[in-house]
Amino acid sequence: MQRLEHLQHLDKHLADELAQVARESVRAELREQTRGQRRKAALYAGSGAAALYAGAAVALAVGLALDLALPGWAAALITAVLLAALSFALRTAARPAPPGASGTSHAVPSGASGTSHAVPSARPAPGAGSAPVPPVPSTPPTAGTATPHPDPATDHDPRPGHS
């Protein structure tokens, strides 16, 4: 019985040592990976700072060039408007498109014939946020006429091409 307890103790000790070695190995690997990622992050940060200063120099050059033909305040105002428009364009380009507004047509099966008709996706109106524009009917409604309703006795859809 004592020999069995001794083997269990050895097994437990071996499992603890194996777990410790695995933890140390994982820590060393993670340290190695994060060292490379920190270097990359520092390079990206330096690149971003240099680009920021380059953009400021270009804005200054545009302002000074406009200052040759306009008063200083007008040159600064035009430069600010140009930078705001660029900022808006970049933000709009970076914003992900809402689902269904990708500009592609979606095929919708029609009946049992296997043909499909392209249905354009709804796009948001300019300045309306991300809410889609409701579909516009192909014909305007006429005053004083009622829209036909399907007869409850028959399971028939009055639209052409649907049954």
Side-chain angles (χ1 to χ4, degrees), residues 100-110 115-123 133-136 159 162:
S102 62
T104 60
S105 297
H106 302 284
V108 176
S110 120
T115 61
S116 64
H117 300 284
V119 176
S121 61
R123 292 185 182 210
V133 176
V136 179
R159 294 180 290 178
H162 294 82

Side-chain angles (χ1 to χ4, degrees), residues 139-147:
T139 58
T142 55
T145 60
T147 57

Side-chain angles (χ1 to χ4, degrees), residues 53-67 75 79 83:
Y53 284 113
V58 168
L60 179 64
V62 167
L64 290 174
L66 288 173
D67 190 40
T79 304
L83 288 173

Side-chain angles (χ1 to χ4, degrees), residues 16 29 37 57 63 67 73-74 105 123 125 132 149 155:
D16 289 343
E29 182 67 27
Q37 289 174 349
D67 190 40
W73 64 268
S105 297
R123 292 185 182 210
H149 294 286
D155 197 19

Side-chain angles (χ1 to χ4, degrees), residues 7 12 39 41 95 100 105 109 113 117-118 128 149 159:
L7 286 176
K12 182 173 175 22
R39 183 174 183 275
R95 187 177 283 180
S105 297
S113 65
H117 300 284
H149 294 286
R159 294 180 290 178

